[in-house]
Amino acid sequence: MMASLNSSQELTSNSRHQVLLTLLLGGTVISFGNSALNPAIPIFMSVFDVDIVMGGWVLNAYVLSMSVGLMLSGYLHKEFAFKPVYLTAIIGFMLGSVIGMCAPSMTMVIVARAIQGLSGGLTIPLSIGMLYQIYPQHRHGRVMALWGIVIMMSLAFGPLIGAYLVEQFAWWTLFAVTLPLSAVVTLMVWRLLPNIGSPKASKTFDTIGFVSLLIWLLALMTWLSTLKTDFYTSLTSVIKTSLVAAMFLISFMVWWAYERRQSQPLLNVRLFRNTVYLHSTIISVTQTLGLMVGLLLLPILVQEVMGESALWTGVILMTATLMSSITTHFAGKRVDKHGARDIGILGIILSASSMLLLAWCLYQPTLWLLMLIMSLQGVGVGLAYLPTTTVGFSSLAKEVVTEGAALNNISRRIVSTIFITLVTVYVAGRGAQLLATGSTQSVGTAIQEVFVMLAVILFLTIFSARRLPKAV
């Protein structure tokens, strides 16, 4: 077992490789466990006889609890050594898998997902922070490219394997399948990871910031879950909805102002004063929106509109993610020498163009055309997402990279959760409106409009890419 180390001590090359392998396997477990359940939500609804609102909490519980983990990660990284925090998170993920595997009700499935999300929220920023700490800056691009490839592969094969498991075996195997690798990762963490980051002084936890943001998130998600029932019913309902939205916005601005004044905040929002980090985060958030919309609408298109098997959804997503992984590897090597501006702009253009092509494809969709367009999106994400994020993290001081990773991740998750909910509201409301006028393709038309709006949003982020440095 490695001896405990201070962050100032250098690891040998072999030790770095051992740490990298351990963190990659840990990230694989978390990412696979997340994505494998995406095609299984209809199965959960059928087995436990619940509606779509309850079924949606399989995703919402994971996202919310992951946000909590992300909020805690910066504090825990400074208060405790890396190893015990990471080990606790992996064991927590295993506990969630066991609870999910044995769950007698939908409520317990949601509890299991919440535990897994909390653990995942801790491991991701801690892993990124560790990698940035043990590798020199000129290796950051290559290391993050490898990290991105492994995570993307896990995300790619997750839905395909998940669809196969639920079709050939049972829903509980989605939880059970992660247990063997989780046990291996636990042993590797115990034996191979050093105690880098042991605290020298205690850090006050921002309890007010944590509790207020948690309440805000829970209240927001509860309110968003009710929007579908009364969004387009009357002018009065629209006004009430606007007023509630304004209240949430104002309360969030108050929380933001409070965090900026804290010497030891829950989330270090002052990092957004760094222009490079700010614009790289904007790009990563919008690229995440594109990915999440694809994950939401592609299964509907393939399985409901085209009447194909869920396995085809997995195949298309896997192909797109493989293309993204290959592109990320190329982009990671290039960003170390040439920066992320030009390559980021190209990736944004490809991602936005794929949204427009998806809107056009809905007139007469085919599996091969969908696979081609989603592969184009994968290339765009590979060029735009990780390279720009890497440059943003590299612009920060090493000691705040973990906080920067947490802020980036929680921003992506909160914004994407709100956006996806609004997309479902828009599709339902716009579809009903078009149906009332006699349209025979009401939902399809609404989905087309969503893709066009998303393309516009992505194109606008070219201005953020232009603010990134040409070389690191």
Side-chain angles (χ1 to χ4, degrees):
M1 186 186 303
M2 282 187 184
S4 297
L5 297 172
N6 294 320
S7 58
S8 60
Q9 292 178 280
E10 294 292 334
L11 296 175
T12 65
S13 177
N14 185 54
S15 297
R16 286 197 189 97
H17 294 330
Q18 290 176 339
V19 173
L20 176 61
L21 176 61
T22 302
L23 297 181
L24 288 176
L25 289 178
T28 298
V29 172
I30 300 297
S31 300
F32 177 84
N34 178 22
S35 63
L37 270 75
N38 290 339
I41 291 179
I43 304 298
F44 286 120
M45 294 169 56
S46 175
V47 169
F48 295 110
D49 192 24
V50 297
D51 58 18
I52 185 62
V53 175
M54 190 71 168
W57 275 99
V58 173
L59 294 177
N60 290 340
Y62 190 93
V63 172
L64 284 176
S65 57
M66 175 169 271
S67 299
V68 174
L70 291 168
M71 285 186 272
L72 292 172
S73 63
Y75 165 76
L76 294 176
H77 174 69
K78 290 187 175 181
E79 185 67 18
F80 304 100
F82 176 88
K83 182 175 179 177
V85 177
Y86 193 91
L87 187 62
T88 300
I90 291 297
I91 293 175
F93 190 87
M94 292 179 64
L95 176 63
S97 297
V98 172
I99 294 175
M101 184 176 62
C102 304
S105 66
M106 190 65 177
T107 300
M108 292 308 297
V109 171
I110 293 173
V111 169
R113 292 296 286 164
I115 295 174
Q116 289 184 328
L118 177 63
S119 302
L122 290 173
T123 58
I124 299 302
L126 287 174
S127 298
I128 293 175
M130 169 67 86
L131 293 177
Y132 270 81
Q133 193 169 352
I134 66 175
Y135 282 94
Q137 183 170 343
H138 69 274
R139 297 288 304 279
H140 288 173
R142 291 180 176 86
V143 172
M144 287 305 297
L146 179 59
W147 168 267
I149 289 170
V150 172
I151 298 302
M152 287 181 180
M153 292 288 284
S154 304
L155 294 173
F157 285 99
L160 183 62
I161 297 175
Y164 176 80
L165 289 174
V166 296
E167 286 191 3
Q168 299 298 322
F169 299 100
W171 63 267
W172 58 266
T173 58
L174 296 172
F175 291 98
V177 72
T178 63
L179 287 174
L181 187 55
S182 296
V184 172
V185 172
T186 301
L187 292 176
M188 293 180 67
V189 171
W190 182 260
R191 292 186 58 85
L192 301 177
L193 259 61
N195 276 329
I196 288 180
S198 297
K200 296 181 180 179
S202 102
K203 180 181 185 292
T204 303
F205 182 61
D206 183 12
T207 305
I208 295 177
F210 174 75
V211 173
S212 58
L213 184 56
L214 181 60
I215 293 174
W216 186 85
L217 285 170
L218 290 173
L220 178 65
M221 290 303 298
T222 301
W223 174 65
L224 289 177
S225 297
T226 67
L227 277 179
K228 297 178 183 179
T229 61
D230 61 3
F231 189 72
Y232 278 120
T233 55
S234 66
L235 177 60
T236 301
S237 178
V238 172
I239 293 175
K240 289 181 179 179
T241 299
S242 301
L243 289 175
V244 175
M247 290 175 59
F248 274 108
L249 178 60
I250 293 172
S251 61
F252 182 77
M253 292 172 64
V254 171
W255 175 85
W256 186 284
Y258 170 82
E259 288 295 296
R260 288 186 63 181
R261 294 194 303 267
Q262 302 307 302
S263 59
Q264 296 179 334
L266 175 71
L267 291 175
N268 192 358
V269 297
R270 291 189 297 271
L271 294 179
F272 284 133
R273 294 174 180 174
N274 182 318
T275 304
V276 174
Y277 175 75
L278 170 62
H279 288 285
S280 71
T281 302
I282 290 173
I283 294 171
S284 66
V285 166
T286 52
Q287 290 296 316
T288 301
L289 296 184
L291 290 173
M292 294 296 290
V293 168
L295 290 175
L296 172 70
L297 299 181
L298 184 66
I300 297 175
L301 180 58
V302 173
Q303 297 163 227
E304 300 296 330
V305 177
M306 301 177 64
E308 300 290 347
S309 167
L311 289 175
W312 273 110
T313 301
V315 170
I316 294 174
L317 291 175
M318 180 185 67
T319 303
T321 309
L322 288 174
M323 292 299 296
S324 183
S325 300
I326 295 171
T327 308
T328 296
H329 182 68
F330 159 77
K333 291 182 178 180
R334 180 176 176 82
V335 73
D336 284 332
K337 295 181 178 179
H338 304 287
R341 181 189 297 180
D342 294 338
I343 199 169
I345 291 174
L346 177 59
I348 290 169
I349 291 174
L350 293 178
S351 296
S353 299
S354 69
M355 294 295 105
L356 294 177
L357 289 172
L358 281 172
W360 168 76
C361 172
L362 288 179
Y363 287 110
Q364 193 172 359
T366 64
L367 290 172
W368 294 110
L369 184 57
L370 281 175
M371 191 175 300
L372 179 63
I373 295 174
M374 292 302 292
S375 296
L376 178 64
Q377 185 199 31
V379 173
V381 172
L383 293 175
Y385 175 61
L386 275 172
T388 57
T389 302
T390 299
V391 169
F393 289 162
S394 294
S395 70
L396 301 173
K398 282 189 175 183
E399 59 270 17
V400 297
V401 169
T402 297
E403 294 177 82
L407 184 59
N408 177 284
N409 276 279
I410 197 171
S411 298
R412 291 191 296 110
R413 280 158 178 78
I414 290 178
V415 174
S416 62
T417 300
I418 296 173
F419 187 82
I420 289 300
T421 304
L422 292 176
V423 164
T424 60
V425 170
Y426 181 83
V427 171
R430 177 64 170 160
Q433 184 185 54
L434 291 171
L435 186 62
T437 62
S439 173
T440 58
Q441 300 292 331
S442 56
V443 174
T445 300
I447 292 176
Q448 284 179 316
E449 292 171 354
V450 168
F451 284 138
V452 172
M453 287 187 288
L454 185 56
V456 172
I457 293 173
L458 288 171
F459 274 125
L460 289 175
T461 61
I462 290 178
F463 293 104
S464 288
R466 289 178 58 86
R467 300 296 298 274
L468 300 179
K470 290 186 176 181
V472 295

